[in-house]
Amino acid sequence: LLSSKDKFLGELFDISYVSSGRDLLAFGSNSNTEKSSFLLGAPDYRVADSQRQEKAYEVTLSPLPGSAQECQTLEALLKAKGFQPRLVTAQKAQEEEVSRLQSPEIVHLATHGFFLDEKFGHNPMLRSGLALSGAETTLDAWQDGKVPESGSDGVLTALEVTGLNLTGTKVVVLSACDTGLGESQKGEGVMGLRRGFVQAGCRNLVFTLWPVADQETAEFMVDFYDSLPEKGAVSSLNTVQRDWLGKLREQYGSVMAARLAGPFVISSRE
């Protein structure tokens, strides 16, 4: 959105969102002070299966090599700022690793997000999620009408997210495409990953409204985390986004600036 003075509104105001009216209620002050962080990126989506047969309709999730470098860079940056980061990538980027989280201060998940159509079920919290190690194999099985054992199938659904222990987690970043997608329900807001992480207890959630560019996203996230400890999540995201919108607009024009720097939004309960 542009103002009457041809400025992005994000250049003029600090903006944060709520999932629904209930998020305006007072939120507890249970805060994590251990400076722990968890980073996940570039999962190995295809698990080798000797019994598997090639199919014309098999699901293919494109590799995200940039997300591995993104997480490695953020790991070093967070260490320099006194955090204790834990990084998992490739085959180690498993659903079990996320399920075992115990309220780290920061959670960064750099992978594909998805929202499936109604042929996969009526509950939008089961049709939206994040793809982790082994996700392609599971999504193929779903198309065959098979349901692999949940909890270790490589697909972290929004419903499973609600069971995570993120109380006291200051910020969760979903550094992936379309992680804000879901189904709008009256009085509840958008039901999907966003709702799942809010119910899990995180205080601030950074997610995306449309596809993101691999390289630019990695650079954007470095700037965000560099200012995060001093400014907090809302101010940090708005400041970095404001700077990026301005410089990208000078280089590429308004449309490209919005496409590259505009998808990131923050839902806050602080």
Side-chain angles (χ1 to χ4, degrees):
L1 294 175
L2 297 173
S3 72
S4 59
K5 296 183 179 180
D6 203 31
K7 288 280 189 179
F8 286 110
L9 291 190
E11 295 180 273
L12 303 174
F13 302 99
D14 281 352
I15 300 173
S16 64
Y17 297 79
V18 293
S19 297
S20 67
R22 73 179 65 177
D23 293 347
L24 296 174
L25 300 175
F27 194 57
S29 59
N30 184 9
S31 180
N32 190 323
T33 58
E34 295 182 356
K35 301 198 76 171
S36 60
S37 57
F38 176 81
L39 303 101
L40 179 150
D44 183 359
Y45 298 118
R46 176 64 63 188
V47 173
D49 183 354
S50 60
Q51 303 299 317
R52 180 176 171 272
Q53 298 179 348
E54 296 296 323
K55 300 171 184 176
Y57 58 81
E58 69 181 25
V59 176
T60 301
L61 297 170
S62 60
L64 297 172
S67 72
Q69 182 60 52
E70 173 185 333
C71 288
Q72 290 166 2
T73 301
L74 295 178
E75 180 188 28
L77 188 155
L78 289 170
K79 280 182 178 178
K81 291 184 175 293
F83 283 84
Q84 301 168 4
R86 182 164 177 270
L87 170 63
V88 294
T89 60
Q91 292 185 355
K92 293 183 179 179
Q94 299 175 2
E95 186 176 354
E96 293 93 331
E97 297 289 345
V98 182
S99 299
R100 288 198 293 262
L101 293 178
Q102 296 295 316
S103 299
E105 185 169 338
I106 293 172
V107 175
H108 184 87
L109 304 174
T111 183
H112 287 296
F114 64 86
F115 185 71
L116 304 175
D117 60 39
E118 288 192 0
K119 74 178 181 181
F120 288 91
H122 296 293
N123 187 344
M125 298 294 283
L126 289 172
R127 291 187 280 118
S128 57
L130 293 171
L132 306 178
S133 180
E136 284 185 354
T137 305
T138 293
L139 293 173
D140 278 349
W142 284 3
Q143 295 201 67
D144 282 339
K146 301 175 182 178
V147 182
E149 182 181 351
S150 63
S152 59
D153 58 8
V155 175
L156 183 67
T157 67
L159 187 61
E160 289 174 321
V161 168
T162 64
L164 299 180
N165 181 10
L166 299 178
T167 302
T169 296
K170 290 185 177 179
V171 60
V172 173
V173 176
L174 304 182
S175 182
C177 296
D178 302 322
T179 49
L181 296 183
E183 184 175 295
S184 181
Q185 295 188 354
K186 187 175 181 180
E188 296 291 340
V190 176
M191 302 299 289
L193 279 169
R194 178 181 180 184
R195 170 55 62 188
F197 279 99
V198 168
Q199 290 186 354
C202 77
R203 296 158 110 35
N204 297 284
L205 175 67
V206 177
F207 57 98
T208 60
L209 297 179
W210 55 81
V212 297
D214 206 21
Q215 184 59 43
E216 285 80 4
T217 296
E219 296 173 6
F220 184 98
M221 288 300 165
V222 168
D223 289 349
F224 170 70
Y225 280 103
D226 190 43
S227 62
L228 178 62
E230 293 76 26
K231 293 188 174 183
V234 174
S235 180
S236 180
L237 183 72
N238 277 280
T239 299
V240 171
Q241 192 168 53
R242 185 175 296 126
D243 292 343
W244 272 70
L245 284 170
K247 70 181 182 181
L248 288 174
R249 189 178 190 182
E250 289 183 3
Q251 289 179 280
Y252 306 115
S254 296
V255 174
M256 184 62 72
R259 186 179 74 82
L260 294 175
F264 308 100
V265 296
I266 186 165
S267 178
S268 179
R269 301 183 70 182
E270 290 188 321

